Amino acid sequence: MLDVVPVVAVVLAAVACVLAALALRRTAARPTGAGVDALPEDVHGLRQEVAALKAENADALRHLSVVRYDAFGDVGGHLSWSLAVLDDAGHGVVLTSIHGRSEARTYAKSISSWTCEQQLSPEEEEAIEHARP
């Protein structure tokens, strides 16, 4: 009886190998993604929506940077600031507020393709550079 156990084990192992080979052959015979056409219709719709959202988002003002500094030597606390608000193409605005001891002034400069027609202060240029993706 003890001699039968190893024989049965070898036979079962051989049957398992045959079944594994058949399963592997079936898996290899299946087409693995015939391309985008094989996707369900709702996936095509989702891809179109994602593409539309990306196109819509391209001109969103989503690149922001703030630089705080002391504009004058007699006023501390970094109360002056420059804020760059730009889209992916570098179009937007840079806002600057300069705080002195007795007054504050605020300026807005239009930015087009990461540059400005007016002269920029070093802090405004820094804010634009930090806003770049």
Side-chain angles (χ1 to χ4, degrees), residues 12-24:
L12 286 176
V15 170
C17 287
V18 170
L19 290 175
L22 288 174
L24 184 61

Side-chain angles (χ1 to χ4, degrees), residues 33-69:
V36 177
D37 297 334
L39 294 173
E41 186 63 33
D42 57 343
V43 175
H44 290 293
L46 288 173
R47 285 187 175 184
Q48 289 174 345
E49 282 188 50
V50 168
L53 288 172
K54 282 183 179 178
E56 185 179 316
N57 192 31
D59 59 350
L61 298 175
R62 59 191 190 112
H63 301 287
L64 307 170
S65 176
V66 175
V67 175
R68 293 176 50 120
Y69 55 97

Side-chain angles (χ1 to χ4, degrees), residues 5 21 30 34 38-39 47 68 91 118:
V5 173
R30 285 187 199 152
L39 294 173
R47 285 187 175 184
R68 293 176 50 120
H91 304 300
Q118 298 141 332

